[in-house]
Amino acid sequence: MWRRLNVLIDPLLTPSRAPWVFMLGIVLFSLLANAIYDWLFARVGSPLTIGLVAALSIVVLALVTEWYRRRLRRTLVSVALQPRRGLVVLVSQGTLREGATESAIHYHYRGKNDEERPAGALRYCWLLTSPSEPVRGNGPEAEPPLGRVSAWAIATYLVEKYAGRIEMHVVQIDPNDPVDVYHKVENVLREAEDKGLGRNDLAVNFKGGTKEMSVGMVLAATTHGYSVETTLPGERDADGYRKAGSPSEVIMLDLRPILQSDTD
């Protein structure tokens, strides 16, 4: 609510936004200030008293503002993970089976083990992957090295594996362009809404893909009020650091307290 109010008032206080609106704001605030002064003077009768009341009001307002800012301190929040009916996930080149993308799908479909959700919870899945033809050059999604397969091959394998159980969608993106990924994710979010999936029904996993893909996905999701998730090693060493190569777990992060999205 406060952010929406700031959006409305900002043009009145910022000349670079709209000069004529700023000039109108000066006139309106001047009239308001004169009206408040006349009202106080008619009741108090002393300019000095009015000045002291104004100074005290400024101090109180500053203290309240600081208290409110501390109360809404922007922190990264790790929220309890729940299986979702929809999943948007990045796909990157790697091993064909049991990669990060497949782990995310398996969690939302079956859980940590096949007995947790025998019927399967996941109903819709969007796989964001680089094009079927590998990107030429030195980009991060160029031809995969020996022993690894392309993101497109992994996406094809996942579509075939879950055929008839999950409604799978493959979305081709430019792996080196976060703006393209941003717009493609926006399209997917709208498509998910058309299927009746709300913000609590859709998981957005940014683990796979290139850094550019992850940035575009996270920005699109948080801008529209969605939390995001990633897949991390599930075990920790004696110092508390996650152990690479240990069984993975899905972690959900809510960035909205940091970005304070209008869609909260």
Side-chain angles (χ1 to χ4, degrees), residues 159-180:
V159 169
E160 294 174 352
K161 176 179 178 178
Y162 289 100
R165 293 179 288 174
I166 302 174
E167 184 178 312
M168 305 292 285
H169 302 266
V170 177
V171 181
Q172 294 191 31
I173 57 175
D174 183 345
N176 304 312
D177 186 358
V179 177
D180 178 71

Side-chain angles (χ1 to χ4, degrees), residues 11 145 156 163 256:
T156 302
R256 289 172 295 182

Side-chain angles (χ1 to χ4, degrees), residues 62-89:
L63 292 175
V64 171
T65 301
E66 177 63 18
W67 171 82
Y68 185 74
R69 186 188 67 82
R70 291 177 178 273
R71 183 172 175 267
L72 294 181
R73 181 173 296 171
R74 300 176 181 184
T75 57
L76 180 65
V77 180
S78 177
V79 297
L81 185 65
Q82 299 293 333
R84 307 298 174 99
R85 293 193 298 126
L87 172 65
V88 187
V89 62

Side-chain angles (χ1 to χ4, degrees), residues 90-113:
L90 299 175
V91 185
S92 59
Q93 58 180 244
T95 57
L96 185 62
R97 293 175 173 82
E98 299 182 355
T101 303
E102 187 170 4
S103 296
I105 295 174
H106 187 274
Y107 173 81
H108 288 283
Y109 183 62
R110 291 288 193 178
K112 293 183 179 180
N113 53 67

